[in-house]
Amino acid sequence: MIVIFLGPPGAGKGTQAEYIARRRGIPQLSTGDMLRAAVKAQSPLGIQAEAIMKAGQLVPDELVVGLIESRLTEPACAPGFLLDGFPRTLPQAEMLDALLPRHGRRLAAVLELQVDESALLARLDRRVADAVAAGLPVRPDDNPETFRHRLSVYRDQTTPLIPYYAARGVLHAIDGMQAVAEVSAQIDRVLDSLS
Ligand code: AMP
């Protein structure tokens, strides 16, 4: 089962993808995590991505599609995988559409986590406070100014994916304003109805 998580930054995509991945025994492929690992390792890709990410902008489409393609042939991805933070632009979605059949794979569902924008900044404050309290590093792009920019990038570049996937009959809206467990339960119901 191949599932895409769509939603603005701070909507809870990562949290929900992690839960569903554990429950269904399939990996979560987060392009944000892969890019952060590349930055940490200071690989050529990481060096290229670092400033772009810090500014809250998008890394070039070909680079992230390459990251996904290199992972989806891994044996762990054979039963399926969850895409968290990818695709983020129409060209990425189109490249994914071309890529999956080449590997004999098919997209099962796109889950759109819907949240009020006003709640997102409050969530960001909480995420930063939690990281500080746990003695964890705060993401360099988790500050109000960059976060607002990431939101506008989502609005401009990623929301066109909503009608794109709706037209393909794979889009499912999820009310992301509920408690975390409620959101998970709603996602489970959608995925159970597909299998
Ligand atoms: P995330 O952890 O998903 O919020 O991603 C953090 C940052 O990584 C984003 O603000 C982008 O700079 C970059 N990034 C992650 N996924 C993508 C993607 N699919 N396309 C382009 N840039 C991405």
Side-chain angles (χ1 to χ4, degrees):
M1 172 179 282
I2 299 175
V3 177
I4 292 173
F5 277 84
L6 269 187
K13 295 185 298 292
T15 305
Q16 292 300 334
E18 203 179 302
Y19 162 78
I20 300 294
R22 214 177 328 113
R23 185 174 155 86
R24 309 226 166 216
I26 54 179
Q28 168 193 7
L29 305 187
S30 156
T31 41
D33 285 350
M34 292 179 209
L35 289 166
R36 277 185 287 278
V39 170
K40 199 166 168 205
Q42 286 290 287
S43 67
L45 166 66
I47 291 168
Q48 195 178 342
E50 190 167 13
I52 300 173
M53 292 172 73
K54 224 178 235 164
Q57 278 157 358
L58 293 184
V59 171
D61 292 330
E62 289 72 18
L63 294 185
V64 281
V65 173
L67 281 176
I68 292 293
E69 185 162 25
S70 66
R71 292 291 301 275
L72 68 86
T73 48
E74 288 176 358
C77 289
F81 49 90
L82 305 177
L83 291 170
D84 161 18
F86 175 90
R88 253 179 160 97
T89 64
L90 272 179
Q92 289 180 20
E94 286 161 358
M95 285 188 242
L96 181 67
D97 272 352
L99 191 69
L100 291 178
R102 276 212 301 277
H103 293 275
R105 314 299 299 263
R106 192 181 63 85
L107 180 63
V110 177
L111 305 174
E112 184 209 349
L113 286 182
Q114 296 180 332
V115 286
D116 294 343
E117 278 200 11
S118 56
L120 293 175
L121 276 166
R123 284 191 185 183
L124 167 73
D125 286 344
R126 220 174 308 132
R127 185 151 91 185
V128 171
D130 286 350
V132 170
L136 296 169
V138 176
R139 280 172 49 167
D141 57 353
D142 265 353
N143 62 74
E145 195 192 329
T146 311
F147 189 82
R148 273 199 192 87
H149 184 62
R150 286 161 62 205
L151 262 182
S152 79
V153 169
Y154 176 78
R155 247 182 262 121
D156 295 345
Q157 309 222 40
T158 309
T159 53
L161 299 187
I162 296 168
Y164 177 88
Y165 285 122
R168 283 158 178 71
V170 288
L171 186 74
H172 302 268
I174 305 291
D175 176 4
M177 294 304 293
Q178 308 167 94
V180 173
E182 286 301 317
V183 178
S184 304
Q186 201 188 337
I187 294 172
D188 269 331
R189 282 195 294 278
V190 169
L191 298 184
D192 286 344
S193 74
L194 301 174
S195 47

